[in-house]
Amino acid sequence: MVVENFEIGIIGAGDMGMLYAQRFQQAGYVVNLCDTPERHTELQSKHKDLGLNILRDGYAVSRRSDLIIYSVPAVVINSAVEKYGRATKVGAIVAGQTSVKTPEVQAFLDHLPDDTHIVTCHSMHGPNISTRGQPLAIIRVRSSDEHYERAVHALEALESRMIFLTYEEHDRITADTQAATHLSFISLGTAWSLQGYHPWLNPQFISGINNVKVAMALRIYASKWHVYAGLAIMNPLAKRQISCYVESMTTLYKWMVAGNRQEFRTLIHDAADFVFGRDRSHKKIMLDDDVLQQLSLSQVPDEMSRPNSHLSLLSAAVCWYKMRMSPYDNLVCQTPPFRMWLGIVEYLFCDHEMLEQSIETALEDRYTQAEDLVFYTAVTGWGQCIELGSFDGYRERFEKTAEFLRPKLEQGKDLSTMILKKLTNGEAQASMNK
């Protein structure tokens, strides 16, 4: 059942805006949609058969909609609300879809009329995944009980798994689950670009959990840069975790090349005991060996495979250990990249033989140490870019790497979707068998 006499407006017709618009329209709502005025004619022509009201701008959407969702990049949320907020329909509900809520909520409080009800949200996934069953953060900022219930009722059309948070809780959880995760994957892509050869031609990325690294990195680079830049740069809690990840990797890499074997081993095992416990026989993320072997983009024969230190994964566990943070506490608001990231870290640390090989490779294999130097350089470069708050620098680095990886971006996105589906189906089956 839809909320009666209730129109939903969406300002921003990007990928997520269009996903929302179509879901609400299919549920039976009148949907008013706009992007920038110069795109009005293009949108009318492109989406004329979708049953949407394509309006000229945010003023037109705001004046007639009962629920207005700003689906714009985090970097422009303040200017968008400042521009269109004054046109908000009396008594309307306003929400946003940015990945960092502190600046979004501040923009709403600064620029919306006092009679506006603020109930914001965040779908914890990208536009290439259905909203059905995925986590949806619901955040009540300022509203009457009646308007809050109407907002929640309307958002039920997405068929998502609702999680009710404050905006401060949201930003802490997204920092904990996404900051270092995204840094690791985008740094892998940049390292491959710096070396000038693609991962599907690299003998260190042939099989197993390396398939996940490649697929998820390509998935991220197939998306838009601002999706990741906003979280990394505008969320101060994200910067804290990114700094810890860089420091953790720096420590490990220095000990690798300096030959500090005992210090390296002790830190890895301390991190393992803290994050995964001493008994690691029961994994919580059900990554299947057969799935990991079957889904691959590699063009290198298996017999040419070389060992991998998995420095990116070792650094993740050390980062969690140093921050005294259990990644499992945040699975309630998991994103697909985080779930896969935690899954492959867990897979490594819960396999004694694989972990031992990883440690020995890191300490003894000169080829691997040379390869990891490039990855270390990429991580520190991204860390500095984020610390400086440079959106232009972030965009330039991201788009340059994406262009290098372009031959396989769509294939990698499809592969990662297959991995995620198999993971979800496997966990559902395991849950049924309990």
Side-chain angles (χ1 to χ4, degrees):
M1 290 285 293
V2 300
V3 180
E4 293 184 2
N5 302 315
F6 193 83
E7 297 189 13
I8 297 177
I10 298 175
I11 297 175
D15 294 337
M16 285 302 294
M18 288 306 305
L19 176 65
Y20 266 42
Q22 292 179 78
R23 291 290 290 156
F24 285 123
Q25 191 277 332
Q26 290 163 4
Y29 285 101
V30 173
V31 177
N32 307 310
L33 175 71
C34 77
D35 205 88
T36 54
E38 54 269 24
R39 292 196 64 206
H40 181 229
T41 302
E42 172 199 342
L43 290 177
Q44 282 186 317
S45 174
K46 185 176 180 180
H47 303 306
K48 61 183 178 181
D49 298 324
L50 295 182
L52 306 171
N53 291 334
I54 308 294
L55 304 182
R56 178 171 178 76
D57 54 29
Y59 294 117
V61 169
S62 296
R63 287 185 62 189
R64 63 175 289 177
S65 303
D66 300 287
L67 169 62
I68 302 154
I69 301 174
Y70 283 81
S71 187
V72 300
V75 67
V76 300
I77 185 67
N78 185 71
S79 59
V81 180
E82 183 178 23
K83 184 174 184 179
Y84 299 126
R86 70 191 74 176
T88 302
K89 181 179 178 180
V90 174
I93 305 163
V94 173
Q97 243 286 59
T98 68
S99 59
V100 53
K101 291 303 179 188
T102 299
E104 175 187 286
V105 169
Q106 192 59 55
F108 289 158
L109 294 175
D110 286 346
H111 304 303
L112 292 176
D114 291 339
D115 59 54
T116 303
H117 301 267
I118 305 171
V119 183
T120 193
C121 62
H122 181 206
S123 288
M124 310 288 280
H125 59 89
N128 298 310
I129 295 179
S130 169
T131 59
R132 186 175 292 110
Q134 294 297 323
L136 171 66
I138 306 290
I139 300 164
R140 182 177 184 174
V141 180
R142 183 183 74 195
S143 72
S144 68
D145 290 344
E146 178 187 354
H147 285 81
Y148 177 64
E149 290 170 4
R150 294 179 81 190
V152 171
H153 189 169
L155 291 167
E156 286 175 349
L158 300 174
E159 299 182 84
S160 298
R161 177 169 52 85
M162 293 185 173
I163 302 159
F164 300 92
L165 304 167
T166 66
Y167 71 88
E168 295 95 342
E169 289 171 335
H170 170 276
D171 284 356
R172 178 187 59 78
I173 291 172
T174 54
D176 288 347
T177 57
Q178 298 181 40
T181 304
H182 296 163
L183 176 65
S184 302
F185 285 130
I186 62 176
S187 295
L188 282 168
T190 297
W192 299 327
S193 175
L194 289 171
Q195 293 180 97
Y197 59 84
H198 296 101
W200 48 90
L201 301 176
N202 188 329
Q204 287 192 311
F205 290 89
I206 289 181
S207 60
I209 57 178
N210 292 305
N211 293 336
V212 178
K213 294 182 194 175
V214 174
M216 295 307 294
L218 292 175
R219 183 185 189 87
I220 286 176
Y221 277 108
S223 301
K224 302 211 174 131
W225 68 274
H226 65 75
V227 174
Y228 306 99
L231 167 70
I233 293 175
M234 298 180 71
N235 187 337
L237 297 176
K239 288 187 177 182
R240 176 170 165 262
Q241 187 177 105
I242 287 169
S243 176
C244 183
Y245 184 84
V246 173
E247 290 173 7
S248 300
M249 173 165 291
T250 299
T251 298
L252 290 175
Y253 189 73
K254 287 173 68 175
W255 286 349
M256 283 168 57
V257 297
N260 292 19
R261 296 179 59 87
Q262 191 55 50
E263 292 91 337
F264 187 94
R265 281 184 170 279
T266 298
L267 182 56
I268 294 299
H269 286 296
D270 286 348
D273 289 345
F274 173 80
V275 177
F276 303 106
R278 292 185 179 276
D279 178 10
R280 299 173 208 154
S281 58
H282 302 290
K283 294 186 291 185
K284 298 180 181 179
I285 311 294
M286 304 297 289
L287 286 182
D288 184 83
D289 292 318
D290 292 336
V291 172
L292 292 176
Q293 292 302 120
Q294 292 169 11
L295 304 178
S296 175
L297 296 175
S298 178
Q299 299 174 9
V300 181
D302 288 346
E303 59 269 19
M304 294 181 64
S305 174
R306 295 190 67 113
N308 194 314
S309 70
H310 300 297
L311 179 59
S312 59
L313 310 186
L314 299 178
S315 301
V318 171
C319 176
W320 293 328
Y321 168 61
K322 287 187 173 183
M323 295 186 70
R324 315 307 290 176
M325 184 192 93
S326 170
Y328 295 107
D329 291 344
N330 296 314
L331 284 178
V332 66
C333 284
Q334 63 183 290
T335 61
F338 175 70
R339 190 160 188 78
M340 295 308 301
W341 184 243
L342 175 54
I344 58 177
V345 176
E346 178 192 75
Y347 190 94
L348 171 64
F349 275 83
C350 292
D351 185 323
H352 175 76
E353 185 177 342
M354 181 182 291
L355 181 60
E356 183 60 27
Q357 183 187 57
S358 170
I359 293 172
E360 282 300 308
T361 300
L363 293 170
E364 300 294 341
D365 192 311
R366 295 296 184 187
Y367 176 90
T368 295
Q369 291 174 359
E371 293 285 300
D372 283 343
L373 172 61
V374 185
F375 178 62
Y376 167 73
T377 302
V379 170
T380 54
W382 275 108
Q384 290 170 346
C385 175
I386 292 166
E387 183 64 31
L388 292 171
S390 174
F391 282 97
D392 289 339
Y394 196 106
R395 179 175 187 171
E396 183 176 345
R397 291 173 66 90
F398 190 97
E399 292 183 343
K400 183 177 180 181
T401 301
E403 185 58 36
F404 175 77
L405 297 171
R406 191 161 305 285
K408 295 278 188 180
L409 285 184
E410 288 304 312
Q411 200 174 341
K413 186 171 69 175
D414 293 342
L415 178 63
S416 65
T417 299
M418 290 174 62
I419 294 173
L420 290 166
K421 285 182 178 178
K422 285 181 177 291
L423 172 63
T424 302
N425 292 339
E427 289 180 338
Q429 185 62 47
S431 178
M432 290 174 61
N433 292 336
K434 286 183 179 179

